[in-house]
Structure formats: structure tokens, C-alpha cells
Amino acid sequence: MSGYTVMNMMKDGDGKGASATRSAYLTLRQMILTGELPAGEKLKIEQLRALLKTGASPIREALSLLTSDMLVERLDQRGFRAAPASKANFEEILMLRCTLEDMALRASIANGGTAWEERLVLCHHHMNRARQKGTPEFEVAHKTFHMALLENSGLPTLERYCAQLYDLNIRYRYLAAGGARYQKRDIAAEHKSVLDAALDHDADRASDRLLTHYRLTGEYLGQQMDH
Amino acid sequence: MSGYTVMNMMKDGDGKGASATRSAYLTLRQMILTGELPAGEKLKIEQLRALLKTGASPIREALSLLTSDMLVERLDQRGFRAAPASKANFEEILMLRCTLEDMALRASIANGGTAWEERLVLCHHHMNRARQKGTPEFEVAHKTFHMALLENSGLPTLERYCAQLYDLNIRYRYLAAGGARYQKRDIAAEHKSVLDAALDHDADRASDRLLTHYRLTGEYLGQQMDH
DNA sequence: GTGTCAATAAATATCGATATTTTTGGGAGG
DNA sequence: CCTCCCAAAAATATCGATATTTATTGACAC
């Protein structure tokens, strides 16, 4: 799954050796997710070209790709802007996540398999380790764990939607709280209970724990957004 | 909602007066949906550039945009290809459509409103009229009607997913049957019963009729795909 | 035969310059 | 004082050429 050679290592990762388009895509994506490029802001090609030190073509292409992720809007002949944010949008995303992840998680559990279970355990372990290391590492591990829960569903389109919605939700975490500040809740315990239920093949319990996890976070963020 | 002037009329429609990117986007999209560009086929820039008589930049950007619709895959540093098709993908799409359209339709009905109901009646009428006119007109009107059912949900992200999945499904209609050939079923009656249930604010009945409509079509197409 | 490697051919990706379009701002006319 | 319209400025969109990268081919060694 991750057999790197010196040569193709240049094309993965965070984009240092990748194509200019991919590099720009990853950078801009991060900037929008973290709010460094605020919601609704006009994205001027020239400005971004200077910022990323690359030509206009990679920028334009990256912005077109970000349209897939609903992080950028394209206004024909009038350039691009960072997708606007609103509480209504936030709540829609939360609702969709609950519906779609429920479906994906149940399918994953139904498919089962030891390979998947082991991957799950490993991702969970990595996530806990990453908590000590720092925020960016934890963010990555957190997403990996959540996606691993769903990635046994055999439903790639559904998984894609879930990944998209996950990112959109992260964006609201930054917009609302200015970062990945967590609350008093015992997030680790919530994750553990989802993991345990999944390993027990208890779809109802796993789904319930997962959705509760999302709804609690959603409630917290919703409050933050009201100031 | 559709206040045209001579000036901005140039930027809508099928792309004659629109930007080269938009024009290329619409053309390529149609070609992929109808199978003129077969599933899985390599999409060479030079070849498309010659075909659409435009530069490489609009082509590349259009292909990047088609990535949003899951109609094109991007292989970093190796160009683009039309998204592959499979029966598994077809069935996933059918399943997702049923789940998501059910949700959207119920939300639309819950919101209600005479404006929406009138729009529905009108779209249904246009669709019936278009049946006489010919296939392309009917295709447009058919999609418009189906989307109108959902476009009162107040859930734009969900609507977007539904529209995407609708297109992906259309593609399988062309792949399986070589066109919009309909079967012996009385499609018109199926549409009418969805419309009536929606106008009655009977969400359960409307959803049942709509999903039955999809599943019957899905069954038929599934058979076609087995040869 | 068969596999490897280098040279060649093909295709992609990117740049820099230019054409087009939208936006802005400052009068003239009402 | 407000509105409309035209010119200037800014920004987008597009082109054509070039640099990079990947795919292909054929010779050579094993």
C-alpha cells in the first residue's frame, strides 16, 4: 500500500516534487481549510501566482480541481472565490455526514475481514500516538482513522462523498474555533467506543457511537459559531 | 431567476458565446455522457484540442472541472481519462440516488409552497410536450423535472449530489442501451404518480413512487448490461 | 528467447505574452 | 443630486512555444 522508491516518492506527499498543479492544489486546499484564505474571498490569479511562485496555468487548474471539493466556486469569466460558509451549510454538511457515514460504516462492518480490522486498530493506535506529537500530525491521523472506518464498504463513490464532507467539516472547525482546539469531552473515549463496536461487528452500536461523536462536535461548533 | 439581456445571453446556454473553457466543458461532458468518448478512454489533450478547435488551457481546465462530476479521472503527470464504468459502479449509483433523492424529496415536500408546486406542474407539462419533439429536448426536460422535485429542499449540497448522480446514471443508460430508448413500462404514468403525490404533500407515497421508478429503470438497465 | 537500457518519440505540464472581459471612476446630461 | 455612459485600469481567459515527463522502440548482452 505504501511501497516507495526514490523516484516515485517525488510525486506523492505534500507536493514538493509533484507537478506544479498538484502542489498548488494541496497548498490552496490547506489554506482554504484553515481559513488562511477566508470563506467567500476573491481568489485572484495574479496574487496566488505570486504567492505560490508558479505560473497561471497550474493555479487555474488547481482552482478548477478544488471546485470538486466544493471549496472553491467558479464564476464564469469572473474568476474564482473561496466557497462561502454559513451555519445553514454547516448544518447541512453535518446532516449529510450522519446519513452517508452511517451507510458506509454499516457496509464496512458487513464486509468485515481481518485485514480491515487490523488496519483499524493500527490507525487508532497511530491517532493516539499523534496526539502527543502535535496538531498537524493528529489532524492527518484523525482523518485517516475516520476514513479507515468507512473504507471497507466497497462503495468508492460513497467514500468519496464522505471524505469530501469530512474536509468541509474540518473547515468549519477552523472557522468557528480558529483551530483544532478540543473541548472537555473525552474524544479519545468516543473514538475507542466506535473502534470497539466496529471490531465487535456491532453495526448499530458503532453507528450510534459515531453519529453521537459527530453530533456532539457539531453542537459544540454550532455554539462557537453563534459567538 | 432567468432574466436575460442580450449581453449576458452570450455566456449561458450551450456555450456558443461562453468562455472557451465552459464551451469545452459542456461539449466534453456531453460526449462522455453519451459514450462518444467511451468509458476508460485516454483523453489526449492534443486530440481534443484539434476536435474542439481551441487551445490546450481550456481543455485542461474543462477536464479538471469534469473531475468534479466524476466523469473524468486525473492521473498526475499522465493526463486524463474518461471515468471507467462497471456494473458495480452502476449499482452503487442507483443505491445512492435512492437514498439521497428520498431525503431531498421529503425535504422539498416538507418545505412546500405554491411557487414550487406550480413549477413542478410546469416542468411536468414541458416534459410531456418534449416527448413529441425529440430525444434531446426530452432528455433536458426530464432532468429538469426530476431536479425540480428536489430543488425545494433548501439543501444545496444534497441537490448537487443528486444532480451529479443523475448524470452518472444517464451515462449508463447510453452505455447499456445505446440511447434513451424506453421500455414498455408506462414511464409517463410513473412520473405522473410522483407528481400527484408531491402535490398532495404525501411524502411517503411520493418517495415510494420515485424510488420504484428508479429501481425499475435500474433493473432494466442492469439486464441490458449483462447483454 | 528474454530482459535491460538507452535513444527516440509522444504526450503532458508549464511558462510568458496577448487578447478579452469585467470593473472602476470620472464626467456629461437629465 | 442622481443616473447613465464612456474611457482607463485591472483581472480573467486564452494562445503558442517550450520544458519535462512518460511511453515506445530497438539494439545489445545474457
Side-chain angles (χ1 to χ4, degrees):
Chain A
M1 200 124 243
S2 55
Y4 289 125
T5 68
V6 176
M7 290 218 62
N8 64 23
M9 216 176 80
M10 303 294 283
K11 296 165 196 159
D12 293 335
D14 62 280
K16 272 200 252 301
S19 66
T21 296
R22 180 158 181 74
S23 167
Y25 169 76
L26 292 170
T27 306
L28 291 174
R29 174 198 180 85
Q30 196 62 18
M31 290 177 76
I32 292 172
L33 286 180
T34 60
E36 196 172 339
L37 289 173
E41 178 146 307
K42 185 81 200 297
L43 302 173
K44 293 181 195 167
I45 305 292
E46 191 55 28
Q47 160 192 314
L48 297 176
R49 200 202 59 68
L51 190 65
L52 304 195
K53 286 170 195 151
T54 183
S57 314
I59 299 283
R60 292 183 62 80
E61 232 173 282
L63 291 172
S64 294
L65 287 170
L66 283 164
T67 289
S68 346
D69 306 334
M70 298 191 288
L71 289 172
V72 165
E73 276 184 7
R74 190 195 165 83
L75 306 148
D76 204 54
Q77 229 100 356
R78 266 179 244 184
F80 303 84
R81 72 168 57 194
S86 67
K87 195 166 183 191
N89 180 244
F90 169 71
E91 277 160 6
E92 182 183 4
I93 282 161
L94 177 60
M95 188 268 290
L96 287 173
R97 282 185 87 197
C98 287
T99 306
L100 297 184
E101 293 212 15
D102 172 73
M103 213 185 320
L105 179 59
R106 285 174 189 277
S108 276
I109 291 174
N111 287 334
T114 53
W116 176 59
E117 291 176 15
E118 285 167 14
R119 180 164 155 67
L120 229 47
V121 171
L122 209 57
C123 288
H124 183 254
H125 173 70
H126 286 158
M127 182 175 64
N128 283 335
R129 277 298 166 89
R131 171 155 293 165
Q132 269 77 40
K133 288 194 179 177
T135 306
E137 279 91 348
F138 179 72
E139 285 293 346
V140 172
H142 184 250
K143 177 169 179 179
T144 305
F145 173 68
H146 273 284
M147 289 307 122
L149 284 166
L150 315 175
E151 273 166 4
N152 198 43
S153 68
L155 301 168
T157 304
L158 177 58
E159 287 169 14
R160 183 184 152 136
Y161 283 153
C162 288
Q164 246 177 49
L165 292 168
Y166 179 94
D167 284 340
L168 289 174
N169 188 65
I170 278 200
R171 183 167 177 242
Y172 279 100
R173 217 156 63 197
Y174 281 100
L175 285 172
R181 265 204 326 278
Y182 276 92
Q183 314 100 67
K184 304 211 180 93
R185 279 161 48 216
D186 190 348
I187 304 287
E190 291 179 25
H191 286 142
K192 185 66 163 52
S193 73
V194 177
L195 173 68
D196 289 341
L199 294 177
D200 286 352
H201 303 99
D202 186 339
D204 289 336
R205 182 160 53 96
S207 175
D208 175 70
R209 297 295 185 277
L210 185 64
L211 267 51
T212 298
H213 175 59
Y214 287 148
R215 291 199 176 108
L216 286 174
T217 306
E219 232 168 75
Y220 171 76
L221 290 182
Q223 284 166 10
Q224 296 285 99
M225 288 177 74
D226 298 330
H227 295 259
Chain B
M1 199 121 242
S2 54
Y4 289 124
T5 68
V6 176
M7 292 216 61
N8 65 22
M9 214 176 80
M10 303 295 283
K11 295 163 195 160
D12 292 335
D14 61 280
K16 271 201 255 302
S19 67
T21 296
R22 180 156 181 76
S23 167
Y25 169 76
L26 292 170
T27 306
L28 291 174
R29 174 198 181 85
Q30 194 64 18
M31 289 177 77
I32 293 172
L33 286 181
T34 60
E36 197 172 338
L37 289 173
E41 177 145 308
K42 184 81 201 297
L43 301 173
K44 294 181 193 166
I45 305 291
E46 192 54 31
Q47 162 192 313
L48 297 176
R49 200 202 59 68
L51 189 66
L52 305 195
K53 286 169 196 151
T54 183
S57 314
I59 299 283
R60 290 184 63 80
E61 234 173 279
L63 291 172
S64 295
L65 287 170
L66 283 164
T67 289
S68 346
D69 305 334
M70 298 192 287
L71 290 171
V72 165
E73 276 184 8
R74 188 195 169 85
L75 307 148
D76 204 55
Q77 231 100 354
R78 266 177 244 184
F80 303 85
R81 73 168 57 194
S86 67
K87 194 167 185 191
N89 181 245
F90 168 71
E91 277 161 5
E92 183 183 3
I93 282 161
L94 177 61
M95 186 270 287
L96 287 173
R97 283 186 87 198
C98 287
T99 305
L100 297 185
E101 294 212 14
D102 173 71
M103 214 185 319
L105 179 59
R106 285 174 190 277
S108 277
I109 290 174
N111 287 334
T114 53
W116 176 57
E117 292 174 15
E118 286 166 14
R119 180 165 155 68
L120 230 47
V121 172
L122 208 57
C123 288
H124 183 255
H125 174 69
H126 286 159
M127 182 175 64
N128 283 335
R129 276 298 166 86
R131 170 154 292 163
Q132 269 77 40
K133 288 193 179 177
T135 305
E137 279 90 348
F138 179 71
E139 284 293 347
V140 172
H142 184 250
K143 177 169 178 179
T144 305
F145 173 67
H146 273 284
M147 289 308 121
L149 284 166
L150 315 176
E151 273 166 5
N152 198 44
S153 69
L155 301 167
T157 304
L158 178 57
E159 288 169 15
R160 183 183 153 138
Y161 283 152
C162 288
Q164 245 178 49
L165 292 168
Y166 178 94
D167 284 340
L168 289 173
N169 189 65
I170 278 202
R171 182 168 178 239
Y172 279 100
R173 217 157 64 196
Y174 282 101
L175 285 172
R181 264 203 325 280
Y182 275 91
Q183 316 101 68
K184 303 209 181 94
R185 277 160 51 217
D186 190 347
I187 304 290
E190 291 179 24
H191 286 142
K192 184 67 163 57
S193 73
V194 177
L195 173 68
D196 289 342
L199 293 177
D200 285 354
H201 303 99
D202 186 339
D204 288 337
R205 181 159 53 97
S207 175
D208 175 70
R209 298 296 185 277
L210 185 65
L211 267 51
T212 300
H213 174 60
Y214 287 147
R215 291 198 176 108
L216 286 175
T217 306
E219 234 169 74
Y220 171 77
L221 290 182
Q223 285 166 10
Q224 297 285 98
M225 287 178 75
D226 299 329
H227 295 261

